Amino acid sequence: MMMKKMVPMKRARLWHPTLLALASSLALQTAQAQTESDYAQLRSRWLQQLTGSPSSLPERQAALAELADKAELHWQAINLSSSTPGLWPDLQSSSDASVLTSHYARLLLMARAQATPGSRLFGNPALASAVIEGLAWMHANRYRPGLSRYGNWWDWEIGAPQALSSILTLMHGALSTEERGRYLATIDFYVPDATRRGNQPSLEETGANRLDKALIVGVRGALGGSDERLRHARDAISQTLPYVTQGDGFYADGSFIQHSYVAYTGSYGLVMLDSLSRLLLLLQGSLWAPNDPQLNNVYDWSERAFRPLVRDGAMADSVRGRAIARRSSSNHSAGRSLMGSLLRLAEGAPAAQAQPLKEMVKGWLQRNRYLGPDCFTGQALAPDSACAKFSLHEISLLQDLQANTSLSPAPERPGAQVFAAMDRAVLRHADFSFDLSLFSNRISAYESGNGENLRPWWTGMGMSSLHNADQQAFDGDYWATVDLLRLPGTTTDRSSAALKNWALIKNTSNWVGGAQLEGRYAIATLDFGALNVTGSSLKGKKAWFLFGDKIIALGGAISSGNSLAVETVVENRKLNTSGSNTLTVGGQAQPSMPGWSASLGNTAWAHLAGSQPGADIGYVFPDRPTVQALREQRSGSWKAIKSQELDDTVNAHYLSLAIPHGLKPTAASYSYVILPGRSATQTAAFAAQPALKILARSTDMLAVQDSSLGLVGANFLTNGSKTLNLDGKPLLSSSAKASVLMRESGDELALSVADPTQVNTGNITVEIQRAASAVLASSPGITVLRLAPTVQLQVNVAQAAGRSFEARFRLQR
């Protein structure tokens, strides 16, 4: 009887088909109601990213005033009844697609001014009406489904829809359901798939372009309540997260490539991080939050890829590509973009990842004199303060950062890094950083296109940049005024050629790269030919030894058959506004008037006084060459390097130092040492006792010794076993082309070996004329063949992509 009572007959009757259908319907309605709330939450989040948090902070008030000023100018100039092809007189072109983006960008400014609390135009119904009418005009005349495309694909699939989706967010309550649906359909038409190019469906989007599109699709999904669009945006992220070994994306060595062969950390890399940080902040904690375990790679990028290339909040120009030709874009504006992205990323990051990101930004923020420690603290600011150049949302995040006293500003991190996958290298010190821009048969000498970067020939052929306390050295009108045929670090004949747009501009050699040791020291080498870049027969072998607080530059086998004078440009530095920085050569101060030049024979050392305390630079010339010095005031225009810019004249003062090699050299060479931060007295003392030896400078080898650090750096430039001698005795040998860096300290020997050519499919055998008692550590890929009477090891560099292999030994004494 008990068993019969346990049979759930009555419970079964509760689930009558009619009642089951009713319960399912109620559950579905509840789920739909929750989903609508989720969509609204996402819209609110995107609105906050566009408008920030209300506050009385001076930076926000200044930014709001500038926003309203610009919006009012566009509002006053708009012609909504125009029968011409544009709403504004300067946006009439029917063949330049950038006018589409510009139209929506101006309407977006107007919408932001109308929708942002605190703006003097906040809630203005006439301005709202102008924006709505502008959207209707664009749909009717310039941007709607089915139109024939012209110009750059980017404007149709990223520029225009990106701005349009934000306008729809700001104007959401003022638009009818029919209007919203019409404009969302336009976005769907031009961005149906974040992972594919709309006008080339077989082309898969990568890197920054893919994430730009994913963000557009994600915001569109929130606006239109589309679960499918939001899932698509989320899933599109995953392809961008893994480290790549070819093509676009981030590499394990910290490199970032876009357009297949251009070093672009400071431009497309920033765009990629910007879109990703915005999308992650939009989706975090929602039903569509990404759950890819490789999201942790994003935090690694900040340390491995971005941090080494930023100095006190300014991004290295060597990784900004075409962006150096944009008047509105500087190394400092690129740095501000990175700061904002990292803070957005930190907002949704676990505490262990968020803290170092915030402390890194806080350090940059407080050391950058364009910004300064008073930014975002409520202190009164100058009307043109760069503190207000951040977005409204970023200003809110930076205010929170400054107010958080538990976060300490992170100092600059010393070290040296070779970015083998993008032909760049950097030396970092507490007081300076130095970066190199190289090219190979893998990485282009430059990128030109869209009328941008019109004089780029020498920017990838050994250009060096020294960043120190003078934070304006590469800012202002640097790229419009510097002699682009005489860039510092280059061996040049000042040749140029017709530009090749959107092309891989190859080096004639693949021997480009170097080795790094202990994260502190590095060698970067360039075996170059200018033929594919400028058409010149100039070629040579160049190396930089990045040794702690100094840079040793060595060159050899320089030859040219052209009737053009060849020189190695040691320095070409922008001076203070009066051009009065003192140049001292061998203890003698040189004239300071613009136009002065001199041929200074038997030069042992020179010193350039900095424009700021801590910005002095010493130069030592071990060969005591003739040095050509030139002090000049240069004029230029931004239009000369970007066709869309204004043609007004800008000016700046420069001081250049160069080692001449004459006409048609056959085996010219050079050497010099850069000593950042040294006084004239310290430079003279170093020149008198340099602790440096040039061990080899030939077609086969470039090598130096720095006895003060126990370092020897050697580049074996040709195949076949070669031996490097020290004081007439064998020291180091390699069986093949290789970059080798070794350091002796006490009873330890540290060694690093790399194949910069990246084509060796086998082993490199290295022998050191030292005896060891033990192997203390070694990278995978190293096989120690013996420890005595000499250390001999084999390095498997197949598919190593230029990576450095390191080992440490206990020496026999």
Side-chain angles (χ1 to χ4, degrees):
M1 295 294 297
M2 292 293 295
M3 293 296 293
K4 289 180 181 179
K5 289 182 180 179
M6 291 294 291
V7 176
M9 295 298 292
K10 292 183 179 180
R11 185 175 298 172
R13 291 192 187 103
L14 287 174
W15 297 111
H16 186 277
T18 303
L19 295 176
L20 181 62
L22 177 61
S24 299
S25 176
L26 290 172
L28 180 60
Q29 291 174 24
T30 301
Q32 288 174 334
Q34 290 172 340
T35 301
E36 288 303 316
S37 174
D38 290 327
Y39 294 134
Q41 183 183 45
L42 295 189
R43 291 194 295 271
S44 177
R45 286 181 180 178
W46 189 242
L47 181 64
Q48 185 175 25
Q49 290 200 45
L50 294 171
T51 61
S53 301
S55 78
S56 59
L57 202 66
E59 289 83 3
R60 180 174 172 86
Q61 299 310 307
L64 286 173
E66 182 179 6
L67 171 64
D69 288 345
K70 290 180 178 178
E72 204 152 32
L73 285 174
H74 295 320
W75 184 17
Q76 291 171 355
I78 196 171
N79 185 355
L80 293 166
S81 61
S82 173
S83 59
T84 62
L87 290 171
W88 286 274
D90 60 331
L91 299 180
Q92 300 290 309
S93 175
S94 297
S95 59
D96 180 1
S98 70
V99 302
L100 300 175
T101 300
S102 296
H103 269 95
Y104 282 117
R106 293 180 185 183
L107 290 172
L108 176 56
L109 271 172
M110 293 163 61
R112 286 179 61 223
Q114 194 276 338
T116 301
S119 162
R120 70 172 182 269
L121 297 174
F122 176 63
N124 187 305
L127 178 55
S129 177
V131 174
I132 292 171
E133 288 184 59
L135 289 176
W137 188 95
M138 285 297 292
H139 186 83
N141 295 281
R142 299 303 298 264
Y143 193 66
R144 66 176 184 273
L147 295 179
S148 297
R149 298 186 184 206
Y150 51 84
N152 195 334
W153 72 270
W154 184 91
D155 294 287
W156 294 90
E157 299 186 31
I158 293 179
Q162 194 171 65
L164 176 56
S165 63
S166 290
I167 297 169
L168 298 182
T169 303
L170 293 160
M171 306 301 296
H172 189 268
L175 293 168
S176 68
T177 302
E178 188 276 332
E179 287 171 322
R180 289 197 299 269
R182 179 194 310 156
Y183 304 136
L184 291 177
T186 299
I187 295 174
D188 287 342
F189 180 82
Y190 291 108
V191 198
D193 186 342
T195 71
R196 297 286 167 180
R197 187 71 51 85
N199 60 345
Q200 292 177 265
S202 62
L203 193 157
E204 183 176 9
E205 297 289 14
T206 59
N209 291 335
R210 187 182 183 105
L211 288 173
D212 274 349
K213 287 188 166 186
L215 181 59
I216 293 167
V217 172
V219 173
R220 179 264 175 266
L223 289 167
S226 171
D227 171 70
E228 183 274 331
R229 294 278 79 193
L230 282 160
R231 283 188 287 108
H232 178 68
R234 175 199 64 201
D235 295 343
I237 294 173
S238 291
Q239 184 268 353
T240 66
L241 300 177
Y243 285 109
V244 300
T245 56
Q246 61 181 1
D248 293 351
F250 285 94
Y251 288 70
D253 69 0
S255 299
F256 177 81
I257 297 295
Q258 191 80 35
H259 294 170
S260 302
Y261 38 72
V262 185
Y264 253 137
T265 315
S267 180
Y268 282 92
L270 293 179
V271 173
M272 180 170 171
L273 188 66
D274 177 82
S275 291
L276 181 58
S277 67
R278 292 179 188 278
L279 189 52
L280 292 176
L281 189 56
L282 175 71
L283 299 179
Q284 70 170 5
S286 74
L287 297 172
W288 303 277
N291 192 29
D292 192 314
Q294 295 198 82
L295 273 171
N296 283 328
N297 288 350
V298 181
Y299 308 116
D300 188 45
W301 300 345
S302 65
E303 291 288 343
R304 191 188 302 251
F306 290 106
R307 187 174 189 175
L309 295 166
V310 175
R311 182 80 203 174
D312 296 333
M315 173 64 68
D317 285 329
S318 60
V319 291
R320 296 205 306 120
R322 301 189 333 272
I324 62 173
R326 299 168 188 164
R327 192 174 199 164
S328 61
S329 175
S330 70
N331 54 353
H332 286 279
S333 65
R336 289 196 295 270
S337 172
L338 177 60
M339 290 187 214
S341 295
L342 293 178
L343 287 181
R344 278 190 298 275
L345 188 63
E347 284 297 286
Q353 281 81 24
Q355 182 172 337
L357 291 177
K358 291 180 178 180
E359 291 184 339
M360 189 192 317
V361 172
K362 195 166 190 176
W364 291 335
L365 181 66
Q366 296 194 3
R367 287 191 301 276
N368 189 310
R369 284 194 302 276
Y370 282 68
L371 303 172
D374 291 336
C375 281
F376 316 106
T377 61
Q379 302 293 318
L381 301 169
D384 59 348
S385 171
C387 303
K389 298 299 183 183
F390 291 90
S391 74
L392 293 169
H393 182 239
E394 289 165 353
I395 288 172
S396 304
L397 297 178
L398 286 159
Q399 180 183 15
D400 293 342
L401 179 72
Q402 287 287 58
N404 190 341
T405 56
S406 67
L407 293 171
S408 301
E412 294 290 355
R413 180 179 296 166
Q417 188 167 342
V418 175
F419 298 93
M422 65 177 183
D423 293 348
R424 299 293 186 268
V426 64
L427 172 66
R428 299 182 58 80
H429 184 270
D431 300 321
F432 71 86
S433 63
F434 177 87
D435 60 271
L436 289 161
S437 180
L438 314 177
F439 78 122
S440 64
N441 61 340
R442 308 172 298 270
I443 297 299
S444 187
Y446 64 80
E447 182 179 71
S448 184
N450 288 345
E452 294 183 314
N453 209 19
L454 300 178
R455 297 177 62 82
W457 304 281
W458 296 90
T459 53
M461 288 203 278
M463 180 183 72
S464 63
S465 304
L466 174 62
H467 302 262
N468 55 21
D470 180 9
Q471 295 180 6
Q472 297 187 51
F474 301 99
D475 197 46
D477 294 314
Y478 176 82
W479 288 105
T481 54
V482 70
D483 189 340
L484 287 161
L485 304 181
R486 300 185 70 235
L487 292 170
T490 61
T491 296
T492 175
D493 59 7
R494 309 191 198 186
S495 58
S496 61
L499 293 178
K500 303 170 186 175
N501 290 332
W502 312 116
L504 170 57
I505 316 299
K506 290 185 177 183
N507 193 347
T508 52
S509 171
N510 61 12
W511 212 114
V512 179
Q516 62 188 49
L517 179 64
E518 300 172 337
R520 300 164 60 192
Y521 313 108
I523 313 172
T525 308
L526 172 66
D527 183 355
F528 83 100
L531 185 64
N532 293 329
V533 186
T534 68
S536 169
S537 61
L538 176 64
K539 58 184 178 180
K541 301 175 189 294
K542 302 166 66 70
W544 294 262
F545 301 84
L546 310 180
F547 286 179
D549 62 351
K550 68 183 77 70
I551 300 102
I552 306 157
L554 198 62
I558 298 167
S559 66
S560 174
N562 294 95
S563 297
L564 297 170
V566 178
E567 62 181 339
T568 294
V569 183
V570 177
E571 185 62 277
N572 196 351
R573 196 157 188 88
K574 185 158 74 77
L575 304 177
N576 59 31
T577 53
S578 63
S580 61
N581 304 60
T582 300
L583 173 69
T584 303
V585 179
Q588 182 68 45
Q590 304 299 311
S592 61
M593 75 283 289
W596 168 81
S597 65
S599 182
L600 305 167
N602 197 36
T603 301
W605 64 272
H607 178 269
L608 180 63
S611 298
Q612 297 286 338
D616 286 13
I617 310 170
Y619 309 89
V620 173
F621 301 93
D623 301 330
R624 290 181 171 265
T626 293
V627 172
Q628 298 284 356
L630 171 64
R631 191 185 290 267
E632 58 183 332
Q633 182 177 19
R634 292 186 55 81
S635 299
S637 76
W638 286 95
K639 191 174 184 64
I641 58 175
K642 181 183 175 185
S643 60
Q644 300 93 336
E645 299 285 358
L646 296 176
D647 199 18
D648 57 313
T649 300
V650 291
N651 303 281
H653 291 270
Y654 287 85
L655 186 284
S656 63
L657 301 172
I659 300 171
H661 304 302
L663 296 174
K664 298 185 177 181
T666 56
S669 62
Y670 66 84
S671 67
Y672 60 90
V673 184
I674 302 176
L675 302 171
R678 306 284 182 104
S679 67
T681 301
Q682 291 169 326
T683 303
F686 184 95
Q689 293 182 311
L692 296 174
K693 284 185 180 179
I694 298 172
L695 303 182
R697 182 170 37 178
S698 68
T699 57
D700 292 331
M701 202 181 306
L702 295 172
V704 300
Q705 180 197 36
D706 182 344
S707 58
S708 69
L709 296 173
L711 285 167
V712 170
N715 292 293
F716 296 90
L717 301 170
T718 55
N719 281 321
S721 183
K722 302 289 187 306
T723 298
L724 175 67
N725 292 328
L726 174 63
D727 297 329
K729 297 178 181 179
L731 171 67
L732 176 67
S733 65
S734 174
S735 66
K737 294 179 181 179
S739 187
V740 182
L741 190 53
M742 58 178 282
R743 183 181 66 85
E744 292 185 71
S745 177
D747 64 350
E748 285 193 16
L749 170 70
L751 182 75
S752 177
V753 180
D755 167 32
T757 72
Q758 302 190 29
V759 297
N760 192 327
T761 59
N763 296 312
I764 298 173
T765 301
V766 174
E767 185 173 13
I768 308 161
Q769 298 298 315
R770 299 287 187 269
S773 59
V775 179
L776 301 178
S778 68
S779 301
I782 290 180
T783 302
V784 177
L785 302 177
R786 71 183 185 208
L787 295 176
T790 60
V791 173
Q792 191 179 77
L793 52 89
Q794 199 173 66
V795 185
N796 183 358
V797 295
Q799 298 182 335
R803 182 173 75 253
S804 294
F805 295 80
E806 299 189 35
R808 286 192 302 118
F809 303 90
R810 180 80 66 199
L811 289 171
Q812 289 183 6
R813 292 298 188 187

